Every structure is written in structure tokens, then in C-alpha cells.
Amino acid sequence: MTESEKFDLLLNEMQLMRGDMQFMKDDMHSMKGEMQSMKGEMQSMKGEMQSMKDDIQSIKDDMQSMNDRMDCLELQIKSTERVLRNEIKKSETLILDEVERVHTILDNHRHDLNAHTA
């Protein structure tokens, strides 16, 4: 192979390498664009994730508030049940006292032989 042929072969190989390098540069440029796009999407996702975290925290706070209200309602129900039980017992005692009073009156009346004489 002559010097000229070697030189031409070398030039051809350099041309091929330049083409390959240009192809790689284009690929890298394309990859940079894709990476920028992915960075933007990741930022958007970070914002959405933060929003979701805030929503979850809000739900937790609402649940805690509801639990507190339920606890308060349970205490009120128990208190009301106690008051009603006491009121029922008082009412039963009054009724029984009145029944005893009426029985006493009837017993006294039954034993009073002059009460029904004409």
C-alpha cells in the first residue's frame, strides 16, 4: 500500500470518526434535553408529593379532631345516662313512697270500723 493510499484510508477513518463523534454529540444533546425535561417533571412531582403530604397531615388533624369530639360525646352520653338513672331512681322512690302512703291510708280506713257505719 502506497503512502497516498494510507493517507486516504486514514482520512476516511477520520471522517468516519468525525461522523461518529457528531452522532455522539447529537445523542448527548438529546439526552441533555431529556434530562432537563425529567428534572422539570421531578420538580413537579416533588410539589405534588408535598401537596399530598399536606393533605395527609390535614386528614390526620381532622381525624384527631373527630376522635376528640367522639371522646367528648361519649363522656356526655355517660354523664347523661348517670343523671337519668339517678332521676329514675328518685322517681321510683317517690312512686313507692306514695304507694306506701296510700296503703297506709287504706289499712287505717279498713281497720276503722266507724268509717263505714251509717
Side-chain angles (χ1 to χ4, degrees):
M1 184 179 292
T2 66
E3 284 295 317
S4 169
E5 290 175 346
K6 287 182 185 179
F7 183 74
D8 288 341
L9 186 61
L10 187 60
L11 281 177
N12 283 340
E13 284 185 29
M14 287 180 64
Q15 285 293 340
L16 288 173
M17 287 189 352
R18 277 190 193 152
D20 288 344
M21 287 179 64
Q22 186 60 42
F23 182 74
M24 289 190 338
K25 281 183 183 180
D26 292 344
D27 277 351
M28 287 178 65
H29 184 58
S30 175
M31 286 173 46
K32 281 183 182 179
E34 289 174 9
M35 287 177 64
Q36 285 298 94
S37 175
M38 287 174 61
K39 282 182 183 178
E41 289 174 8
M42 287 175 66
Q43 282 301 104
S44 175
M45 286 174 58
K46 282 182 182 178
E48 289 173 9
M49 287 176 66
Q50 185 60 45
S51 176
M52 287 173 67
K53 283 181 183 178
D54 294 343
D55 289 346
I56 289 171
Q57 186 59 46
S58 176
I59 289 170
K60 284 181 179 178
D61 293 344
D62 289 346
M63 289 295 289
Q64 184 60 47
S65 175
M66 288 176 68
N67 284 337
D68 292 345
R69 290 175 64 193
M70 290 288 285
D71 290 344
C72 183
L73 287 172
E74 286 175 353
L75 287 174
Q76 286 178 346
I77 288 170
K78 286 178 183 178
S79 174
T80 301
E81 285 175 346
R82 255 192 320 274
V83 168
L84 288 174
R85 262 191 228 104
N86 288 335
E87 289 297 318
I88 289 170
K89 285 179 183 177
K90 285 180 188 176
S91 178
E92 286 175 344
T93 301
L94 287 173
I95 290 170
L96 289 174
D97 286 348
E98 186 62 19
V99 168
E100 280 185 45
R101 189 182 73 78
V102 169
H103 276 274
T104 302
I105 291 171
L106 288 174
D107 284 344
N108 287 339
H109 186 68
R110 188 174 47 150
H111 294 302
D112 186 2
L113 298 175
N114 294 326
H116 291 289
T117 54

